């Protein structure tokens, strides 16, 4: 991985994607994300994590696995860029497709990553070498952690992602 791998930055938690099922495994399926087939990403759907608590038997769980070669609508649940290859975990649960929530890395309460939600995704990188780390936070949690004298950055944390009025 280059010092700042950039292809995977086009993906972020909460984003809806289309994926093609490549293979089945005991825990779930490997997929290719449409538009990112040649980006060197490892993408998967952990069917046990998503559905095991809602199914009565192993056979019932296996019946939920999408067929190899099929295309599925999914939402990016998390991305690991800590070391190569970049690993992307997807969800196909209907509730997650509607509104993906995830625990805030600051307060631990759930925050909504889907469009219109209250989450921000922070990617941290170092000048010293490769890899990055993604944090999911409430915008309010981030704003309250920015030094009070830096009011411009606090205000931007509360507004980022909102539609801006066109410049006239």
């Amino acid at each position: 991985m280059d010092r700042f791998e950039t292809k995977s930055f086009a993906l972020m938690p909460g984003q809806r994607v289309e994926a093609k099922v490549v293979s089945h495994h005991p825990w779930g399926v490997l997929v290719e994300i449409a538009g990112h087939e040649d980006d060197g990403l490892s993408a998967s759907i952990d069917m046990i994590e998503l559905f095991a608590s809602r199914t009565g038997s192993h056979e019932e769980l296996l019946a939920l696995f999408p067929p190899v070669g099929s295309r599925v609508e999914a939402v990016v649940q998390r991305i690991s860029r800590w070391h190569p290859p970049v690993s992307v975990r997807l969800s196909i649960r209907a509730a997650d497709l509607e509104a993906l929530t995830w625990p805030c890395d600051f307060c631990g309460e759930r925050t909504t990553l889907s469009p219109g939600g209250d989450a921000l995704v922070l990617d941290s990188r170092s000048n010293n070498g490769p890899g990055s780390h993604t944090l999911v936070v409430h915008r309010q949690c981030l704003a309250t952690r920015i030094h009070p004298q830096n009011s411009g950055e606090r205000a931007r944390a509360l507004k980022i992602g909102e539609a801006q009025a066109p410049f006239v």
Side-chain angles (χ1 to χ4, degrees), residues 101-113 135-138:
T101 65
W102 200 258
C104 172
D105 287 312
F106 287 155
C107 74
E109 298 295 319
R110 294 194 82 78
T111 183
T112 302
L113 285 149
L135 298 167
V136 173
V137 301
H138 290 104

Side-chain angles (χ1 to χ4, degrees), residues 50-61:
L50 295 176
F51 300 109
S53 65
R54 295 181 174 97
T55 55
S57 68
H58 185 66
E59 291 74 28
E60 189 178 340
L61 176 64

